[in-house]
Amino acid sequence: RLYLYLLDHASDEQETSQVYIPLLRALMQQEDYRRVLTYSERFIQQYPQAEQGAEVLLLRLKAMLALGREDEVFAALLKRDRPHTEDLDHLLAHLAWQRGDMPRVIASLSPLIGDDLEQEKPDDLIVLAEALMATGKNARALKLYRYLQGKEPYRDQALYRDAQLSLRQGQRAVGLKLLRQLVEEATDSQWRSLAEEALAIERFNR
C-alpha cells in the first residue's frame, strides 16, 4: 500500500519510476502475480528507456512463469531487442534446458561462466556440462565433470559421465576404474545402478 501511495503521489517522473521496483518486489513476495503484470506493463509503456527496464522485465517474466505462461516467457527471452543481463540470460539458459534445446543452453550459459569455476554455481556447471556432452563437445564437458567430482550433490553424476567419456575415447581402463569406484562409493542409487549396468555391458563386450 505504501508503494501504491507513493506511485500516485510522486512529484516527478524520475521519482515515480523509482517506486516501481520495490512495488513489484513486494507484489512478488505476496504472490500477487497478476498485479505484477499490470504494473510492469504500465512501467514499460511509460518508461521504455529507463535504466530499471531489465529488472522490471525479469520480475515480469518470473510472474508469468508463476502463472504457467512458460511459452510466452521463452518467446520474450528470444527477442533480439530485449535487455541482455546475466539474470535474463541465465533464465533463458534454464528454460532452454527444460526444453532440451542444448545449443541454446550452451549459447546462453557459456558466456556467464568464468575461468575460475570456484566462483560459479555447481547447478549451472552441471547443466552446461550435460549440454556440452549432449552436443559432442566432450573435452569442455570433461573439464567441468572433473571439477564437479568434488562438489556434492553432483559427484556421482560427474564420475559416471567421466567414465562414459573415457570409454568413448578408448580409455577403457580409466573408464572401468571410475565405474568400479562409483559402484563402491556412490551415495545416489541411480548413478550406482547405471554404473553397475555399464560394467555388466563392458564385461559382455569383452
Side-chain angles (χ1 to χ4, degrees):
R1 290 184 180 180
L2 170 62
Y3 295 124
L4 291 173
Y5 175 85
L6 292 173
L7 196 61
D8 292 334
H9 294 83
S11 59
D12 58 46
E13 276 199 11
Q14 182 176 0
E15 190 174 311
T16 302
S17 68
Q18 292 174 349
V19 173
Y20 275 92
I21 296 294
L23 169 62
L24 294 172
R25 287 175 181 164
L27 292 173
M28 286 293 290
Q29 288 181 344
Q30 296 166 19
E31 299 183 3
D32 193 347
Y33 303 121
R34 297 195 183 281
R35 286 214 289 177
V36 171
L37 299 187
T38 298
Y39 286 106
S40 61
E41 179 66 22
R42 183 188 298 183
F43 176 91
I44 291 167
Q45 290 177 355
Q46 291 181 343
Y47 310 103
Q49 304 300 323
E51 291 182 8
Q52 306 99 314
E55 188 168 359
V56 169
L57 177 60
L58 180 64
L59 291 166
R60 178 177 178 80
L61 295 179
K62 287 183 175 180
M64 291 170 69
L65 285 176
L67 293 170
R69 294 166 60 177
E70 183 177 305
D71 288 346
E72 293 174 68
V73 173
F74 193 64
L77 288 167
L78 293 180
K79 290 182 178 178
R80 292 186 177 182
D81 61 349
R82 73 162 171 87
H84 283 273
T85 66
E86 185 169 325
D87 286 337
L88 289 169
D89 290 347
H90 190 269
L91 181 58
L92 174 58
H94 282 269
L95 287 176
W97 168 255
Q98 291 170 16
R99 290 165 174 257
D101 187 345
M102 300 307 170
R104 197 173 300 281
V105 171
I106 296 168
S108 301
L109 201 51
S110 289
L112 307 181
I113 304 298
D115 293 332
D116 184 0
L117 298 182
E118 285 293 337
Q119 303 301 315
E120 308 300 337
K121 296 177 181 176
D123 289 354
D124 291 339
L125 298 178
I126 195 67
V127 167
L128 181 57
E130 292 283 287
L132 289 167
M133 183 173 173
T135 53
K137 297 176 175 61
N138 295 336
R140 291 175 63 194
L142 191 56
K143 177 183 176 182
L144 295 176
Y145 285 129
R146 287 183 173 165
Y147 170 78
L148 287 165
Q149 288 171 28
K151 300 291 178 182
E152 295 294 351
Y154 299 117
R155 177 182 178 277
D156 293 348
Q157 182 175 352
L159 270 172
Y160 181 75
R161 296 303 192 205
D162 190 345
Q164 279 187 304
L165 290 171
S166 295
L167 290 169
R168 286 183 190 177
Q169 293 168 359
Q171 298 175 346
R172 192 168 186 273
V174 174
L176 293 177
K177 180 180 178 182
L178 289 169
L179 290 174
R180 293 189 193 100
Q181 180 183 346
L182 193 52
V183 169
E184 293 173 5
E185 300 176 2
T187 57
D188 187 321
S189 59
Q190 173 192 355
W191 298 107
R192 181 188 294 112
S193 295
L194 287 171
E196 289 170 343
E197 291 173 14
L199 280 172
I201 291 170
E202 286 299 316
R203 291 191 195 101
F204 180 78
N205 290 336
R206 286 185 67 178

